[in-house]
Every structure is written in C-alpha cells, then in structure tokens.
Amino acid sequence: MEIKFYNSLSRRKEEFVPLTPGVAKMYTCGPTVYNFAHIGNFRAYIFEDVLRRALEYCGYRVEQVMNLTDVDDKTIRDSREAGLGLSEFTERFKRSFFEDIALLKIEKAEYYPAATDHIPEMISLIKTLMDRGYAYRADDGSVYFSIAKFANYGKLSRMDMGAQRPGERVCNDEYDKDAVADFALWKSWSESDGEVFWESPWGKGRPGWHIECSAMSMKYLGKTFDIHTGGIDNLFPHHEDEIAQSEAANGCRFVNFWLHCGYLTVEGEKMSKSLGNFYTLRDLLEKGYKAEEIRLVLLGTHYRKKLDFSFKALGQSRRTLESFAELFRRLGSVEVKVSKGLGKLLRDADEGFSKAICDDLNIAGATAVLHGLAKDVNKLLDMDKVSEEDASEVMKLFRKFDRIYGVLPLDVAPEGDSIPEDVSLLLDERRAAREQKDYAASDRIRDEIRALGWAVEDSASGQILKKLH
RNA sequence: GGCGUGGUGGCCGAGUGGCUAGGCAGUGGUCUGCAAAACCACGUACACCGGUUCAACUCCGGUCCACGCCUCCA
C-alpha cells in the first residue's frame, strides 16, 4: 500500500518511494545519554516507532539506526561532576534508555551506534571535508565547516544566513570562526574536557555535535538513504548541518525524506525542571501510571502537532484501555455457534485504518476507526450476533491494528491467578448470597471487595472481577 | 527583523468545497434486584472581516491571537 509522508524538505506530503524497493532505511536521532530520558524525548521516540511500525505494516523491511550520543559538553560536564569516567557515567543511562523504550513498547532499531565507538569514521569524514575545501582549521585548533562554501546551505530550514542578525544572542568574540554560522566539526581539547579527548590530525580533541550523525548514518545506511527523523527543534541547526557535511563530503544527496515531530508541553506549559513539570518515565511509573497509558497519551495526536501531556489525558487513556480490555474479554467468552459473518464490517475497518495510517501517520483517524469497530462489535455482542468464529476474526483484526499501537490489552487473562485469597473467598460468599437472592448481603460483600481494591460486576455469566486502580 | 506553525462544540482531537469524524465529561433512556459494563438519544463547533463560488469550517486576501526556530534542547 502506498504511504505518504510530509517531507520537511519540500514542505508537503509526498508518496514514499524507497531507494531499494521493499526496504526503508531510516536514521532517527537518539538520546544524549547524560541523564534519564524525559517524556518529551519519548514523544519523539514513539513517533519514530509508529513510523517504523507503519512502514512494516505496509510491508517494508525497515533498517533503522538510532544513535547514542555519549560525548558532548553536558555529558563531559556531568561525568566530571559525578567523578566518573565518561563511559562509566554514560553506561547507566544507556541501560536505562533501553529499559524505558522496552517498557514503552518501542520496537528495537537494527543499530544503536554510540558516538565514541565511531571516532575514526568521524575523523576520516572531517579529513575529506578538509581535502575538498569545505572545512578549515581555526587558530584555536578546532576545525570548522564553512557554510559559505556550501551553496545549498539552508535548504532544509529555509534560512537565508545572510539575512540573520548575528551577535544578538552569541558573542562573536568567543569564536575563532570565519563566519558566525560556521559550525565545529572537531573541537580542540580544553581544560574543561579533562580526560576526555581523542588524537586526531588536528591535535587532541573531540568531535563536534553534528558529525556523528553524518558519519554513522553513512556507515550503516549508505551515502544516500530514505528517511531521517527527529524533533522539530533539531531541524536547525542540527539537520541543516548534517546535510551540509554529508553532501559536501559525498557529492550526492544525503536524505530523501525528512520527518520532524512537534513539541510536547505538560499541562499546557513548556516542560522544564524549574516549573516542576519535568517527568521521566520512572517518575510517572512511581505515580502509579502504566507504561501503556503513557504510550497511548503520546499517541494521542498527530506527530507534527504539539502535544499536551496531562494527567487528565493519562486518566482517559486508562479508561480507554479498560474499555478495550472489556471488549476483548467479551469476545473471549462468546458462545454463539452460528456465524452471520462480519465480513464487510471488518473489511471497512481494515481499509479505513490503513488509509489513515498511510496518510502521513494519521493516528487520530486510525483511532476513530478503532473505536468505531469497538462500538459496532459491542452492539452485535449485545444482540448475541457474534459467533466464536466471528469473535476470533475480530480479535485478529484488532491484533493487526495493534501492530501500530502496541498497547491494546489483547491478551487480558481473567485476573485469575492474581486474585488474593480473601477476595476470592468473598466472591464465593457473594455468589452464594446471590443464589439465595440475599441482595443486602450481596451488596455488602461487594463493598467489602471494593475496599480491598477490586470491583465486582454482575453479568449473565456470573460475577466479573476487575482490579481497581 | 527573517522564516514557519496553528486557532474546531465543556475538554481532547480528525477532516473535507456540498453528505454525523472519534474520544472524554454531561443529561435522558434500554438492560439490571441495585450497581457496573454495553448500547441508544441529545448538545448542531470550526478566531474575526471581506472575497471567489450555486455552495466555504474547507479556497484567496486582510486582521487579531497563540506558539516555534534564527548555534543547549526530541
């Protein structure tokens, strides 16, 4: 199926055509491992995950690279503060990053290259840029890219560097660059770097911020590849600089499709530590929210729009997941034998869902299809018009939709094994009371069970126990 | 100053030149001993002002407002 993406380069939706038929090669800007990732970061990773899942949904084999930035100003600063070596310091954040994305049901990329494992590749790329005349060594020993030499500079961000007003936010004197917008490829060692440095043809130092993405994408995906993504804040200067470096060095197009996701706010405000609305995944888990609920909130709006993360939305997600769990439970206990056939209903839903997803990842449209199908199926279940065979077809389709969502409670086992003994005894007692139509006792026991953290609902087939949150 | 995004019913959030998006909350109802769940019904929204058109929330122009980027940032 044809899939369309909004390409930041052309500023319009374009049909996705990969370089190699059937294969989608993508580079996704990953974490800087100097701290625990926050929900703003996860918004981006979840967007990238949906992109990946959508490509797979459409039959592509995905080759994804997500870099781990394990050396930069902040990483060096904080590792020194912690009194740890760089790799020792970043190791725990790398580990927690992988734990977090697993909890959030983010599919793993094929490659997670770390910057510090690719210094030779970066040096070699910088050398090429020097040889081709795009880079120069400044008096401070650092190597800079000269944007004046690259005619296409600004094609992604549509910035006319000549029209900018340099110097308003940055003091020119701090730099030994020829032009303010020139950016560092190699930063010469300074005292604040401590033990962190590598030898290079330009003396000891460390790579600039942008060069790792060029060097590593090239290594794993080739000089030209299909998709590059990141947060909108990376569009300039990071991605613009990547294009400049890569295309200047290779003399060919760097990336065909650039996709950027919007910002995340928390309760309507920009997330920041000073506002006290800065949340990591573990912060939210400690508050009792589940990773699935968090993922669903982050899936709540189109990736290019700004997304407001709120506790109200988290609560809504919980209810949504519970109502789906209830539907799947009902589907699992169908006893009707004769099938009326739900063919058209399922076909329409399938088609509507794919159409939405393939239209620049219209997740909200897809979610409407999901809810529409749930409502239709519930209606039929109320009328006893769903056979066992129909139910399994319906489940199969929801399972297919979940290849995108990754959070549907498809395999909700009846809370069986986890029911505490006291609750289980009360349940038996209540059943006995109900058999004797002793509703006063039944209601009293229901309250007792509720006090223990469980809700009891009565249905035609008996009592249904649900854990309260 | 330059570049860009957006303003949809109580809240969240899709979309389209004419045909009910959807969710949450609310109200009424069906079902139920009650409750819950599920289902049904109801609210007739698209910032403002013009223009194009048989017809605009959807296209064009302008206004107002909010927000983002212009070397920390997903």
Side-chain angles (χ1 to χ4, degrees):
Chain A
M1 178 155 193
E2 178 184 305
I3 185 162
K4 282 186 288 188
F5 299 125
Y6 179 88
N7 190 346
S8 300
L9 208 51
S10 62
R11 305 275 165 96
R12 60 173 69 107
K13 280 187 201 171
E14 295 174 21
E15 183 190 340
F16 176 64
V17 181
L19 289 161
T20 309
V23 182
K25 297 192 179 194
M26 61 189 249
Y27 187 93
T28 49
C29 278
T32 302
V33 284
Y34 76 107
N35 208 332
F36 296 111
H38 59 253
I39 48 173
N41 298 317
F42 292 127
R43 204 282 237 238
Y45 306 143
I46 284 178
F47 144 61
E48 286 152 0
D49 182 51
V50 170
L51 171 60
R52 178 190 169 90
R53 286 164 175 265
L55 286 163
E56 288 174 337
Y57 198 88
C58 292
Y60 290 98
R61 179 165 67 76
V62 176
E63 262 184 64
Q64 181 188 358
V65 176
M66 180 175 273
N67 64 301
L68 302 172
T69 300
D70 57 355
V71 55
D72 83 326
D73 293 354
K74 287 181 201 162
T75 314
I76 293 169
R77 180 196 66 199
D78 292 359
S79 67
R80 296 192 78 197
E81 251 169 46
L84 296 171
L86 191 69
S87 60
E88 199 184 345
F89 176 74
T90 56
E91 195 47 47
R92 73 182 279 229
F93 297 116
K94 284 181 188 171
R95 211 171 44 239
S96 74
F97 170 72
F98 287 113
E99 288 165 7
D100 288 355
I101 63 171
L103 281 167
L104 287 170
K105 304 290 194 296
I106 292 171
E107 284 188 357
K108 290 205 82 173
E110 279 64 31
Y111 307 98
Y112 289 100
T116 55
D117 291 334
H118 295 78
I119 305 291
E121 286 88 342
M122 297 186 223
I123 290 175
S124 143
L125 180 57
I126 297 169
K127 231 186 266 175
T128 304
L129 289 166
M130 286 287 261
D131 293 346
R132 300 194 72 173
Y134 287 102
Y136 60 91
R137 191 167 178 215
D139 295 339
D140 62 359
S142 294
V143 178
Y144 293 97
F145 185 94
S146 173
I147 63 157
K149 299 271 172 55
F150 186 70
N152 271 332
Y153 194 83
K155 74 171 175 180
L156 177 65
S157 57
R158 311 232 166 149
M159 286 225 247
D160 176 1
M161 296 317 286
Q164 299 308 308
R165 298 191 299 184
E168 290 204 356
R169 282 181 55 185
V170 180
C171 173
N172 287 0
D173 302 343
E174 284 178 29
Y175 298 87
D176 294 317
K177 301 187 282 191
D178 290 355
V180 216
D182 287 356
F183 56 91
L185 296 167
W186 187 259
K187 294 181 168 184
S188 64
W189 182 85
S190 75
E191 207 137 324
S192 62
D193 292 339
E195 301 294 301
V196 180
F197 63 84
W198 287 265
E199 294 295 343
S200 82
W202 316 283
K204 62 183 193 175
R206 59 189 167 95
W209 173 31
H210 317 295
I211 198 74
E212 64 174 276
C213 290
S214 291
M216 299 196 297
S217 62
M218 213 176 287
K219 174 170 177 178
Y220 295 96
L221 300 175
K223 291 176 176 174
T224 304
F225 56 95
D226 301 304
I227 303 172
H228 193 130
T229 70
I232 187 70
D233 48 335
N234 273 162
L235 190 135
F236 188 88
H238 186 49
H239 291 161
E240 192 70 63
D241 291 349
E242 276 186 54
I243 292 176
Q245 294 167 342
S246 306
E247 299 194 349
N250 297 329
C252 61
R253 183 164 175 139
F254 179 41
V255 170
N256 286 138
F257 288 80
W258 286 90
L259 275 64
H260 294 94
C261 69
Y263 278 101
L264 175 128
T265 54
V266 175
E267 307 287 352
E269 294 188 282
K270 188 168 177 170
M271 180 168 59
S272 74
K273 283 181 178 157
S274 58
L275 283 170
N277 63 358
F278 186 97
Y279 298 111
T280 64
L281 183 60
R282 54 209 65 208
D283 291 337
L284 296 168
L285 295 176
E286 274 169 28
K287 283 177 184 286
Y289 295 99
K290 291 194 214 145
E292 289 81 359
E293 294 157 4
I294 297 163
R295 178 172 167 106
L296 198 59
V297 171
L298 296 177
L299 251 21
T301 190
H302 186 86
Y303 74 90
R304 277 188 281 120
K305 287 199 137 189
K306 66 168 181 247
L307 168 68
D308 188 45
F309 186 88
S310 69
F311 289 96
K312 190 178 164 193
L314 229 26
Q316 282 194 12
S317 289
R318 174 166 296 179
R319 280 187 290 280
T320 300
L321 290 172
E322 278 169 3
S323 78
F324 277 109
E326 176 68 11
L327 170 63
F328 300 148
R329 189 198 58 71
R330 292 184 81 184
L331 284 168
S333 54
V334 160
E335 286 174 355
V336 176
K337 297 291 177 203
V338 185
S339 173
K340 291 257 163 81
L342 303 179
K344 181 155 172 23
L345 190 70
L346 299 181
R347 265 197 312 279
D348 287 351
D350 195 4
E351 203 175 296
F353 186 87
S354 298
K355 204 174 150 201
I357 288 299
C358 292
D359 181 14
D360 196 30
L361 312 179
N362 182 355
I363 195 92
T367 303
V369 172
L370 211 67
H371 284 290
L373 180 62
K375 182 174 269 193
D376 290 341
V377 171
N378 264 318
K379 208 180 301 184
L380 292 168
L381 283 164
D382 281 355
M383 299 187 290
D384 272 333
K385 282 189 177 168
V386 179
S387 70
E388 289 176 41
E389 193 190 328
D390 296 333
S392 100
E393 289 297 309
V394 172
M395 285 306 290
K396 215 165 113 189
L397 189 56
F398 274 112
R399 208 168 283 282
K400 184 177 174 187
F401 293 162
D402 196 51
R403 280 160 55 189
I404 301 291
Y405 288 86
V407 289
L408 296 184
L410 291 156
D411 302 304
V412 274
E415 315 253 12
D417 354 301
S418 57
I419 300 175
E421 202 171 336
D422 48 350
V423 173
S424 165
L425 285 171
L426 285 168
L427 222 44
D428 289 341
E429 223 178 286
R430 183 164 181 272
R431 188 185 308 117
R434 292 179 64 73
E435 274 164 14
Q436 291 166 30
K437 303 226 184 286
D438 182 354
Y439 293 116
S442 166
D443 292 351
R444 179 177 47 74
I445 299 168
R446 181 165 61 194
D447 289 343
E448 282 175 37
I449 294 174
R450 175 165 280 272
L452 293 169
W454 298 77
V456 190
E457 294 172 10
D458 300 306
S459 75
S461 53
Q463 305 181 92
I464 296 166
L465 191 67
K466 289 181 181 171
K467 187 138 180 59
L468 293 168
H469 299 284

